[in-house]
Amino acid sequence: MLQQKLQEIYDNAVKSFLSSKSRTELYDFKVKYMGKNGELTALMKSLVELPKEERPQFGQLVNEKKSDLELKYSEIESNLAKSELAEKIKNETVDLSMPGPFSDSGGRHPIDLVINEMIDILTRIGFSVRTGPMIEHDKYNFEALNFPKDHPARDMQDTFYIDDEHVLRTHTSPIQVRTLEKENLPLRILAPGSVFRCDSDITHSPNFYQVEGLWVDKKVSMAHLKGVIAFFVKSLFGEKMQIRFRPSFFPFTEPSAEVDCTCPICVGKGCRVCKNTGWIEIGGCGLVNPNVLKLSGVNPDEWQGFAFGFGVERMAMIRYGISDIRLFSENDLRFLEQF
């Protein structure tokens, strides 16, 4: 009786497998006949109805039928997979004239855009880029730039100290010193990079960017310096821009000056951005102090130089009319997508 039931289940399973139109339907039939709660499993539970001596023989017969069904299932499943793939290839086409799927792509940060533009302008007149460490030795950040240990100008820097001998660099000027020590003269270099000071409000950030320049040659004067800065400002903001120097003090330059340019927003007429003066401060500059040349192993009687430094955020704020420096570091996509 059980053997007849087994054969009936086997025949029905084979017939169902062969009639399957898809792999999903085939799998459903497999579960029906061979699954945990399938008909073959239920039949195995009927072994208790047989005499003890007949159970092994019937159990072996069930396993043989089940193995045979597994082979048939695998063969049919493979054929259905090939048929489904062929049908998919036949029916699916790609219209190459249609636009592809849209995906958002990143863009350059406004600070990066301005740095690259500043470098592009100054490399046209012979400058090349140098880099240096952000954790800097006190010697390069201060002493070699004419900042002795007890110099009051150190208080102007608002420094992050790592230990007694190392700081987060407060400017990119250490790159200039390292270059003077290692490279042959004459030279014209740019030192762009990230700098750090203990200061934070709507116009100051503890981490900001500078682009500094250094030109050392046999005969260098303030006239050369003014010509370079005038070329730079006109190239960045437009031919109508003018510059002016105001006397200032920096330990590493003598004489020193603050640089102002015509306000690009109002073109010198006076507005809220320039506080109705028509001028905006953009950086500092001066002739390289002879002490700095000596400390870098350069003879100041033979060589002269000038240096300048611009805050990149200040340039970007002027260029794009941005009033809060913190927008550059907040990573708000609504702000960044405008660039």
Side-chain angles (χ1 to χ4, degrees), residues 217-339:
D217 211 324
K218 294 288 187 179
K219 292 183 179 181
V220 175
S221 69
M222 289 292 285
H224 295 105
L225 172 59
K226 190 171 183 179
V228 167
I229 293 180
F231 168 78
F232 169 76
V233 169
K234 289 177 182 293
S235 298
L236 187 64
F237 296 126
E239 287 295 326
K240 293 183 179 180
M241 298 298 104
Q242 301 295 319
I243 64 167
R244 72 178 183 184
F245 285 5
R246 289 180 289 107
S248 187
F249 167 77
F250 304 110
F252 36 84
T253 54
E254 181 59 41
S256 302
E258 300 282 0
V259 182
D260 298 335
C261 79
T262 310
C263 175
I265 308 300
C266 63
V267 197
K269 295 177 181 178
C271 66
R272 180 180 61 84
V273 175
C274 63
K275 298 178 181 179
N276 292 313
T277 64
W279 297 92
I280 289 183
E281 180 185 326
I282 59 173
C285 65
L287 296 183
V288 178
N289 192 307
N291 287 338
V292 173
L293 295 175
K294 287 179 183 177
L295 291 168
S296 301
V298 176
N299 183 355
D301 295 327
E302 183 180 358
W303 300 95
Q304 297 173 314
F306 66 73
F308 55 86
F310 301 118
V312 179
E313 282 83 353
R314 172 61 63 88
M315 293 294 188
M317 291 172 77
I318 295 170
R319 183 68 181 274
Y320 300 121
I322 298 166
S323 59
D324 191 336
I325 196 173
R326 292 172 293 194
L327 290 169
F328 292 120
S329 58
E330 289 176 346
N331 292 325
D332 188 330
L333 291 179
R334 294 170 298 176
F335 170 73
L336 297 176
E337 284 174 349
Q338 299 177 69
F339 304 94

Side-chain angles (χ1 to χ4, degrees), residues 136-175 177-178 196-197 250-252 291-292 295-296:
E136 189 56 91
H137 197 283
D138 184 273
K139 169 190 171 183
Y140 292 104
N141 198 78
F142 289 125
E143 291 186 39
L145 291 164
N146 204 33
F147 287 89
K149 291 287 187 183
D150 58 351
H151 199 294
R154 287 196 180 217
D155 297 335
M156 299 165 54
Q157 299 291 312
D158 301 317
T159 310
F160 287 105
Y161 282 89
I162 304 297
D163 54 38
D164 291 341
E165 294 187 345
H166 296 87
V167 301
L168 292 180
R169 66 184 183 192
T170 58
H171 42 198
T172 56
S173 301
I175 298 173
V177 177
R178 290 177 178 274
F196 307 86
R197 295 185 191 176
F250 304 110
F252 36 84
N291 287 338
V292 173
L295 291 168
S296 301

